Amino acid sequence: MFKKTNSLYKEGKITGDQFRIINNELESFTNVCGACERIKNTPIPLSYNAFIKKFIILYTATLPIGYVFSIGYFVIAAVPFIFYVLASLELIGESIEEPFGTDSDDLPIDKIAQNIKKHCYEILLP
């Protein structure tokens, strides 16, 4: 992209002001791409995932012991609900760990790229 911008400037198709603006935007764009690449390539450690799962199971297994005297038989309904909430949070965490995939809940990368292309054409073609 930098080469293309430079060649457009040398050919006189864009002015110096347009070149500076495009160059700043390309620099910002490459910085954002680098940050996204770091997010994509940094997995959550396996020990963290294992610890969270063990904690949820241990916590919900011991929850009836702590609550049976204060809420009585209502603990039968409360414990599965609490387990459901905690397990759902864990699954949501695993789902958003990979935001650049092709699942329905991932970031719309294609739409973002189309918008960037549209805006670049708006800048380059007066």
Side-chain angles (χ1 to χ4, degrees), residues 22 25 108 121:
I22 293 170
E25 293 297 324
Y121 279 127

Side-chain angles (χ1 to χ4, degrees), residues 15-114:
T15 65
D17 291 334
Q18 288 174 325
F19 178 73
R20 274 196 307 266
I21 291 169
I22 293 170
N23 195 37
N24 288 340
E25 293 297 324
L26 284 176
E27 186 177 339
S28 297
F29 178 68
T30 54
N31 289 339
V32 169
C33 286
C36 290
E37 191 70 27
R38 285 190 295 279
I39 291 170
K40 181 181 179 287
N41 293 331
T42 306
I44 294 179
L46 184 62
S47 59
Y48 176 80
N49 279 339
F51 173 77
I52 292 295
K53 287 176 178 58
K54 288 176 188 175
F55 174 78
I56 290 171
I57 291 170
L58 183 65
Y59 179 73
T60 54
T62 59
L63 200 58
I65 299 167
Y67 280 124
V68 73
F69 298 112
S70 59
I71 61 175
Y73 287 110
F74 184 67
V75 77
I76 296 170
V79 171
F81 176 74
I82 292 171
F83 178 75
Y84 171 75
V85 170
L86 293 176
S88 296
L89 286 174
E90 172 61 17
L91 291 174
I92 291 169
E94 287 178 4
S95 175
I96 63 174
E97 180 183 354
E98 181 69 40
F100 303 113
T102 56
D103 296 336
S104 62
D105 63 341
D106 290 335
L107 294 173
I109 300 296
D110 293 332
K111 184 169 176 65
I112 293 170
Q114 288 173 355

